[in-house]
Amino acid sequence: EIVLTQSPGTLSLSPGERATLSCRASQSVSSSYLAWYQQKPGQAPRLLIYGASSRATGIPDRFSGSGSGTDFTLTISRLEPEDFAVYYCQQYGSSPNTFGGGTKVEIK
Amino acid sequence: QVQLVQSGAEVKKPGASVKVSCKASGYTFTSYGISWVRQAPGQGLEWMGWISAYNGNTNYAQKLQGRVTMTTDTSTSTAYMELRSLRSDDTAVYYCARGGVLSGSYWFDPWGQGTLVTVSS
């Protein structure tokens, strides 16, 4: 199965700063079938990005995804207070679907 | 709006079974599939499997093969996940999520609100 490694584990930033989250795959993710999700405490995950770079419906344009092959990035251009949460990447190109371990974006 | 509403929290003893439901609304149920994902307390997300609401095809995570069964009832637009021979490490929040109709190769959107299953003697 494809193992996804997210880094860093925790990112401490201030509102207004730029956040760059990394997701590295143990083998190439076919057709860039990679998604990003945001999860806040006590809530279900929410889809942000699919197909590595396509924003889901209703997602602000400060969220952007990039990458291909084994290296993918989620960028939040300017952190808003509501963006402090845990972010997960997921590959859905190969069975089984797998998730990364998550990156927590916390307020500095 | 597209919505998945799950059944309520469950407390089970080791060795028992649990069946969680996931009722869909706001879209054509048979045009998508449903995946199930669980999250142990304080941990990350674990994919459990997928079922097509169109033809009932399934794909289960290898570690759960033989203990999990996913089904759908198209008359009520409801998906079900049954997990048997429960152990303490099955304690988790269980989520359903809308996915692809022909395979599990699809993103998950939206997600149900989650169902806490606690396994304890």
Side-chain angles (χ1 to χ4, degrees), chain A residues 3-103:
Chain A
V3 176
L4 299 179
T5 302
Q6 291 188 241
S7 61
T10 302
L11 201 50
S12 298
L13 295 168
S14 301
E17 289 194 292
R18 181 185 187 89
T20 303
L21 287 65
S22 172
C23 177
R24 180 161 291 178
S26 60
Q27 53 190 285
S28 185
V29 176
S30 62
S31 303
S32 293
Y33 281 178
L34 188 110
W36 290 93
Y37 301 88
Q38 176 193 68
Q39 186 178 35
K40 297 179 181 178
Q43 296 185 16
R46 177 176 73 141
L47 175 70
L48 299 174
I49 301 287
Y50 63 93
S53 60
S54 296
R55 263 189 307 277
T57 302
I59 301 302
D61 61 7
R62 64 180 181 271
F63 291 92
S64 63
S66 63
S68 64
T70 60
D71 288 296
F72 298 88
T73 300
L74 174 70
T75 301
I76 311 170
S77 59
R78 291 177 314 278
L79 283 164
E80 296 287 341
E82 63 268 28
D83 298 337
F84 292 92
V86 179
Y87 294 82
Y88 293 96
C89 60
Q90 175 218 8
Q91 69 80 23
Y92 51 92
S94 303
S95 185
N97 284 265
T98 49
F99 291 91
T103 290

Side-chain angles (χ1 to χ4, degrees), chain B residues 23-34:
Chain B
K23 183 170 178 59
S25 61
Y27 71 96
T28 301
F29 184 64
T30 52
S31 294
Y32 292 85
I34 295 287

Side-chain angles (χ1 to χ4, degrees), chain B residues 23-106:
Chain B
K23 183 170 178 59
S25 61
Y27 71 96
T28 301
F29 184 64
T30 52
S31 294
Y32 292 85
I34 295 287
S35 279
W36 290 87
V37 176
R38 68 180 180 179
Q39 186 170 37
Q43 302 301 308
L45 302 169
E46 179 188 13
W47 178 78
M48 301 178 65
W50 160 89
I51 182 167
S52 169
Y54 172 69
N55 57 20
N57 285 353
T58 56
N59 182 20
Y60 301 140
Q62 189 169 11
K63 69 176 286 188
L64 296 174
Q65 287 273 3
R67 287 208 300 140
V68 69
T69 301
M70 296 175 187
T71 57
T72 60
D73 181 343
T74 57
S75 69
T76 60
S77 298
T78 303
Y80 298 92
M81 186 283 299
E82 181 180 32
L83 189 60
R84 300 176 293 278
S85 302
L86 289 167
R87 308 187 288 248
S88 58
D89 62 356
D90 290 318
T91 293
V93 175
Y94 289 74
Y95 294 103
C96 62
R98 190 181 71 167
V101 66
L102 296 179
S103 80
S105 294
Y106 208 80

